[in-house]
Amino acid sequence: MAYDYFISTKDNNDKVKIPEWISERDDRMESYKSAGEVDYRGNFTSDELIQLANNYAETWGDAMNSFHADLQNKGLAYIRNADTDIFTLSAIYWSSGAY
């Protein structure tokens, strides 16, 4: 299955696309039905997300292409500039049309 990953704040619907910092199968993610597909979401603190992003960067290192590096940087900037410490990380099935 192919998922797109996003982070957002609880107070708004802005979604920022990120690389796969966490698997949709992680215990911290809960499933829900959207547009006939099973999508996933979980709430994380900024510290947790930064750790996930750092782990992702460490795992991929120089093999991370410019597309994923750009998503990585945009996601980290979104976290740093947010007015909250709690974020929703979503894994949305690519064909669900939910974004």
Side-chain angles (χ1 to χ4, degrees):
M1 293 187 161
Y3 286 89
D4 285 329
Y5 295 82
F6 301 88
I7 54 174
S8 61
T9 63
K10 289 183 132 189
D11 296 331
N12 62 44
N13 286 329
D14 315 0
K15 288 183 179 169
V16 173
K17 190 171 181 176
I18 59 169
E20 187 178 345
W21 289 348
I22 188 171
S23 169
E24 71 279 355
R25 291 179 216 90
D26 189 283
D27 290 342
R28 295 171 281 184
M29 302 289 278
E30 71 177 46
S31 64
Y32 66 99
K33 278 270 201 188
S34 175
E37 302 291 348
V38 177
D39 294 337
Y40 298 85
R41 68 176 158 235
N43 292 322
F44 295 85
T45 66
S46 58
D47 288 342
E48 290 172 315
L49 289 177
I50 289 169
Q51 185 62 48
L52 290 170
N54 289 340
N55 292 346
Y56 177 85
E58 189 175 301
T59 299
W60 288 99
D62 292 337
M64 191 183 330
N65 65 32
S66 61
F67 174 76
H68 290 102
D70 186 50
L71 292 180
Q72 177 89 343
N73 292 333
K74 286 180 181 176
L76 289 170
Y78 181 78
I79 293 166
R80 284 188 210 106
N81 293 322
D83 293 341
T84 184
D85 187 46
I86 302 295
F87 297 85
T88 300
L89 192 153
S90 304
I92 300 174
Y93 189 67
W94 69 268
S95 69
S96 69
Y99 110 90

